[in-house]
Amino acid sequence: MVTKKQIRSANKLKNAKKQKPKYPLLLQKVLDTSDIILEILDARFAKEMQNKEVEQFVKTKKKKIIYVLNKVDLTQKRNQKLNPRIFVSCKNRKGINELRNKIKQEAGKIRKTGEYERIQVGVIGYPNTGKSSLINLLIGRSSAKIGAEAGFTKGIQKLRLTENIQLLDSPGVIPAGDYSMTNEKKIALHAKVGGRSPNQIKNPEITLNEIMKTEKKSFEKFYKIKFKNAEDLIEKIGRKKSFLKKGGEVNSDQSARFILKDLQLGNVEIL
Ligand SMILES: Nc1nc2c(ncn2[C@@H]2O[C@H](COP(=O)(O)OP(=O)(O)OP(=O)(O)O)[C@@H](O)[C@H]2O)c(=O)[nH]1
Ligand SMILES: [Mg+2]
């Protein structure tokens, strides 16, 4: 059972990392400078990750948006609703040429005026969706830094795609409307999609409890066990992996973080 005390302590979330306040400002700067926006979405959770505020802004300013659904190696899901969309796997280097051609094609339609000579292509999205990985593949060298932790890229970096086209890498941003340090549903969403790493979550048991409301079947298939609820799974995995405290009790915090990590690394296939 998740106790009232646990809920209260999760609500405080004192030690959990906050999104840096400057990140939304950097995102706005990227949006302002860009002629074309690549919105990078994890193909497993494309709908949940769309930044509606950004999309509205892009529409109002009549900028071009291209949806990039990355990490298709992790799922069978192919969201057909977004247009134009390109399916990509940075891991398997799939879809990269198609995306590069699409960028060039759209760039060819733009007549430059204003501050910048080159066409500016802003690469935006939730933390950890693969923005920097994608940029490296597009330009054919490892110039943008990548990492498994959400919040890896910390500033704006400009990289040349062609003589006329520049890509802008920037920190991943959780949309303001989805962002919360206290709402467990929202924290669970960030955890599920990898926008917050397990070590950036204050109370992983509560988060996992929330995630189980929709993803229980996926975990049962992956761990090949039946379980009643998050607490039961945490107990079973803790025993199996020997995540134990002195006295032999399961270290549920460690076990829950381990399970979240399996989800974020894509080991657990989302059904
Ligand atoms: N399985 C899989 N993993 C990927 C893919 N693309 C990127 N990753 C992994 O996702 C993690 C995040 O990649 P980054 O390129 O740093 O993501 P980012 O969007 O730049 O992240 P922030 O800078 O934190 O916003 C890394 O561990 C990558 O190896 C993919 O297509 N498939
Ligand atoms: Mg990055």
Side-chain angles (χ1 to χ4, degrees), residues 128 130-133 144-147 151-154 169-172:
N128 213 28
K131 297 176 292 300
S132 303
S133 305
K145 293 200 178 62
I146 62 166
F152 202 81
T153 302
K154 298 192 169 56
D169 193 13
S170 61

Side-chain angles (χ1 to χ4, degrees), residues 17-225:
K17 261 196 206 163
K18 288 202 180 90
Q19 174 157 269
K20 289 214 168 64
K22 73 165 189 196
Y23 287 181
L25 299 176
L26 291 178
L27 169 62
Q28 191 55 51
K29 197 170 166 200
V30 169
L31 294 175
D32 286 334
T33 8
S34 297
D35 307 290
I36 299 170
I37 309 289
L38 304 187
E39 185 172 16
I40 317 301
L41 304 163
D42 186 318
R44 292 173 294 171
F45 315 107
K47 205 166 147 252
E48 292 103 311
M49 288 178 125
Q50 270 179 272
N51 190 327
K52 296 288 181 190
E53 298 152 36
V54 164
E55 291 176 15
Q56 192 51 47
F57 177 83
V58 169
K59 215 172 173 180
T60 323
K61 298 282 175 190
K62 298 196 166 50
K63 295 179 191 253
K64 180 74 196 176
I65 193 163
I66 301 170
Y67 295 98
V68 180
L69 291 102
N70 187 30
K71 309 198 184 185
V72 293
D73 54 286
L74 297 178
T75 180
Q76 306 294 321
K77 285 189 187 177
R78 297 290 180 270
N79 187 314
Q80 300 293 338
K81 292 212 177 98
L82 305 167
N83 267 312
R85 60 180 175 269
I86 311 266
F87 295 106
V88 167
S89 165
C90 289
K91 188 174 178 199
N92 297 343
R93 298 170 180 246
K94 287 245 168 72
I96 307 295
N97 285 339
E98 191 189 345
L99 177 59
R100 197 186 294 112
N101 290 338
K102 180 76 186 166
I103 297 170
K104 286 183 186 167
Q105 182 200 343
E106 291 300 334
K109 294 181 195 165
I110 296 168
R111 197 166 305 152
K112 269 314 267 188
T113 52
E115 198 179 336
Y116 298 96
E117 257 173 57
R118 296 196 178 102
I119 307 281
Q120 306 288 309
V121 181
V123 181
I124 63 117
Y126 248 81
N128 213 28
T129 47
K131 297 176 292 300
S132 303
S133 305
L134 184 71
I135 288 176
N136 287 337
L137 289 172
L138 284 170
I139 64 176
R141 53 185 197 283
S142 297
S143 296
K145 293 200 178 62
I146 62 166
E149 290 285 299
F152 202 81
T153 302
K154 298 192 169 56
I156 296 177
Q157 194 182 356
K158 293 194 171 190
L159 300 126
R160 211 178 77 164
L161 179 70
T162 68
E163 199 52 54
N164 304 319
I165 306 173
Q166 205 154 36
L167 299 173
L168 277 74
D169 193 13
S170 61
V173 170
I174 297 176
D178 280 342
Y179 189 72
S180 169
M181 289 295 287
T182 52
N183 180 324
E184 274 305 325
K185 275 202 178 7
K186 293 191 169 168
I187 292 168
L189 170 68
H190 308 158
K192 189 172 88 169
V193 305
R196 267 177 208 263
S197 302
N199 64 3
Q200 297 171 358
I201 287 163
K202 173 81 188 289
N203 201 324
E205 293 155 77
I206 294 183
T207 304
L208 206 54
N209 195 46
E210 196 59 49
I211 291 176
M212 269 331 144
K213 289 180 185 168
T214 52
E215 313 301 340
K216 188 164 177 272
K217 283 207 171 69
S218 308
F219 284 96
E220 284 186 331
K221 186 178 173 206
F222 173 65
Y223 290 120
K224 299 190 180 70
I225 48 172

